[in-house]
Amino acid sequence: MKLKNLKSFMKNYLKKKTNSVAISREFGLIAEKLKRLTESFQNNMDKIEYTVEFLKSKNIEHDREIQKQIDILNKKKSLYESAEQSYYLKSISLNRMKDKKQQIQSSAEHLKFNLNDSIKTIERWNKNVAQGKIDGWNNSDLDCFLQSIELGKWSKAFQTHGIRPDSVHRLNLKELMRITLDGVPMTFGEAKYILLCLKQISEEKSIPQTPEGDENLSISKVNNWTILDVQKYFIKQGKTSIGNCLLRKQINGFVLFSIETEEIELLELNDFSEITYLARELEKFKKKIIPENFICPLTKKVMADPVMIITGYTFERNAIENYFKSQRICPVTRCVVDDINLRPNFSLKRLIIEWQENNS
């Protein structure tokens, strides 16, 4: 019985052992498969992580590219807005310019119309002046004359006082000084200047114009002294009261050079001594004035050796010789000079010597 049981036990044991080995083998195969699956899974996970990181980096780059495009669009937008604003401002400016152009054209038409009338008046006045025909003047002629000598403010005063334009040259100094403008009478200087200019016109001479400056006390220079220049001259002579009086009387150089002795009392100086001084000073002053033809156009000084060139003008010999070394053009006429031979001007030299002896 025992042996039978033992055999049965051993049989079952061997059977179980065989089954256990098979199971172990099966488990080994399963374990091997699990290991391979685990390795494959791990590899797949690594690939997934790499893919995720790659996608993240691509997404960042994509975001940067998008932001860059957005910035470019914003810049273009700002440029467009600036251009739009500039265009708006330019359109406003253009409209204003068009309005201004229309105003200018309108003003130009108006001025052209007035200018044509003025030109006709001036042409008629110049024709009368050229012919010395003051007798044919009308109010427009008188106004043109006063405007040309910068005394246009007195034009209405002449009409107010009923003075006929064609008889204004017949008035004397005192009659002109009775003319008033807003209750203020015409000064001695203004009245004298008007008479002198009218005399120039009647004698068919031009009214003095401002010449080029020179160092000498020439006639043209004195003629074009302003009232302030006259005042400064007498202040330098130590006669401030006379200078101020001449300033009040509007005495310019042209008038000063033409004052007669009997007219000095009309200046209303402070006392007889000033009248005497001014009369004596004017006499000396006129002697100091250098005649215009004594002065060389190049040196602006009195000529010592005057010579004439082919154009008829006279110059200091040394000055014109040096001038012709660099160019062959007349300094006065600006014409080409073919003949540079110099001809002594003996008659002018004699006059200069006589003038120097009389004023030495």
Side-chain angles (χ1 to χ4, degrees), residues 51-290:
T51 304
V52 169
E53 290 297 327
F54 177 75
L55 290 174
K56 281 183 179 179
S57 64
K58 284 292 183 181
N59 189 40
I60 291 171
E61 291 179 3
H62 183 64
D63 288 344
R64 286 176 181 172
E65 187 65 26
I66 290 174
Q67 188 61 43
K68 189 183 292 184
Q69 295 295 330
I70 290 172
D71 292 340
I72 292 172
L73 289 173
N74 286 332
K75 287 181 180 179
K76 288 183 177 180
K77 182 182 177 182
S78 62
L79 289 173
Y80 173 77
E81 289 175 348
S82 299
E84 187 178 23
Q85 185 178 9
S86 176
Y87 173 76
Y88 175 72
L89 293 174
K90 285 181 179 179
S91 63
I92 292 176
S93 177
L94 183 61
N95 289 332
R96 288 178 179 173
M97 288 175 67
K98 286 181 179 178
D99 294 339
K100 192 70 175 177
K101 182 180 178 182
Q102 290 177 353
Q103 292 178 2
I104 291 173
Q105 287 177 345
S106 177
S107 299
E109 290 295 329
H110 182 68
L111 287 173
K112 185 178 179 181
F113 177 77
N114 291 337
L115 185 61
N116 288 333
D117 288 345
S118 299
I119 289 173
K120 290 178 182 177
T121 301
I122 292 171
E123 286 177 348
R124 186 180 66 253
W125 180 69
N126 286 337
K127 184 178 180 181
N128 289 338
V129 168
Q131 298 174 354
K133 293 182 179 179
I134 301 176
D135 291 336
W137 278 12
N138 55 28
N139 288 329
S140 297
D141 296 323
L142 179 60
D143 181 60
C144 286
F145 164 71
L146 293 172
Q147 292 288 349
S148 69
I149 61 174
E150 299 181 1
L151 290 176
K153 64 179 182 179
W154 290 102
S155 181
K156 290 184 178 179
F158 277 91
Q159 297 178 28
T160 304
H161 287 75
I163 297 173
R164 290 170 54 86
D166 56 356
S167 62
V168 66
H169 61 293
R170 298 189 181 93
L171 299 176
N172 58 38
L173 189 61
K174 291 183 179 180
E175 288 173 333
L176 280 175
M177 291 175 65
R178 294 193 191 104
I179 298 174
T180 59
L181 179 64
D182 298 329
V184 179
M186 187 181 293
T187 64
F188 175 91
E190 291 170 330
K192 182 71 174 177
Y193 189 53
I194 289 173
L195 289 178
L196 290 172
C197 291
L198 288 171
K199 183 180 178 182
Q200 293 283 101
I201 292 171
S202 63
E203 294 176 355
E204 300 184 24
K205 297 179 181 178
S206 60
I207 297 172
Q209 302 294 321
T210 303
E212 295 182 0
D214 55 64
E215 298 177 357
N216 298 292
L217 202 59
S218 62
I219 292 174
S220 62
K221 187 173 183 180
V222 175
N223 276 345
N224 289 278
W225 274 3
T226 65
I227 56 177
L228 292 176
D229 293 329
V230 173
Q231 181 196 30
K232 289 177 184 177
Y233 174 82
F234 282 96
I235 288 176
K236 286 181 180 179
Q237 303 301 317
K239 298 296 179 179
T240 303
S241 61
I242 294 178
N244 293 336
C245 176
L246 297 177
L247 177 67
R248 289 194 302 272
K249 297 298 181 180
Q250 303 287 294
I251 306 295
N252 59 22
F254 186 43
V255 173
L256 179 68
F257 193 65
S258 306
I259 294 178
E260 303 294 339
T261 305
E262 60 272 13
E263 294 174 340
I264 295 179
E265 61 180 23
L266 297 175
L267 296 174
E268 299 177 354
L269 296 170
N270 293 332
D271 52 42
F272 183 75
S273 62
E274 288 188 351
I275 295 175
T276 306
Y277 172 83
L278 183 58
R280 188 171 60 251
E281 189 65 20
L282 284 176
E283 191 65 28
K284 292 179 182 178
F285 184 73
K286 291 175 182 178
K287 289 182 179 180
K288 291 180 183 178
I289 302 298
I290 303 171

Side-chain angles (χ1 to χ4, degrees), residues 297-315:
L298 291 174
T299 64
K300 305 297 182 183
K301 295 179 179 179
V302 177
M303 292 178 280
D305 187 7
V307 292
M308 186 184 299
I309 64 174
I310 194 170
T311 57
Y313 288 91
T314 302
F315 302 88

Side-chain angles (χ1 to χ4, degrees), residues 7-56:
K7 286 181 179 180
S8 178
F9 174 79
M10 287 299 292
K11 188 178 180 178
N12 289 332
Y13 172 77
L14 291 171
K15 187 177 182 179
K16 287 181 179 179
K17 186 175 179 181
T18 302
N19 290 337
S20 175
V21 170
I23 290 169
S24 295
R25 286 178 181 173
E26 190 174 348
F27 270 113
L29 293 172
I30 291 170
E32 189 68 27
K33 288 181 179 180
L34 285 173
K35 185 178 179 180
R36 287 197 298 269
L37 288 172
T38 300
E39 290 176 353
S40 177
F41 178 76
Q42 187 64 40
N43 290 333
N44 289 333
M45 285 299 294
D46 291 340
K47 289 180 180 179
I48 289 170
E49 287 179 359
Y50 175 77
T51 304
V52 169
E53 290 297 327
F54 177 75
L55 290 174
K56 281 183 179 179

Side-chain angles (χ1 to χ4, degrees), residues 290-352:
I290 303 171
E292 200 69 24
N293 58 331
F294 289 4
I295 299 173
C296 173
L298 291 174
T299 64
K300 305 297 182 183
K301 295 179 179 179
V302 177
M303 292 178 280
D305 187 7
V307 292
M308 186 184 299
I309 64 174
I310 194 170
T311 57
Y313 288 91
T314 302
F315 302 88
E316 180 66 44
R317 180 184 291 276
N318 292 335
I320 194 63
E321 285 178 344
N322 292 331
Y323 179 86
F324 279 149
K325 288 178 182 179
S326 59
Q327 51 190 318
R328 298 288 184 89
I329 298 174
C330 175
V332 179
T333 64
R334 310 306 299 172
C335 296
V336 177
V337 178
D338 297 326
D339 181 6
I340 61 170
N341 291 323
L342 306 179
R343 301 164 184 82
N345 194 333
F346 294 112
S347 59
L348 181 60
K349 185 174 183 178
R350 185 176 63 256
L351 291 174
I352 292 173

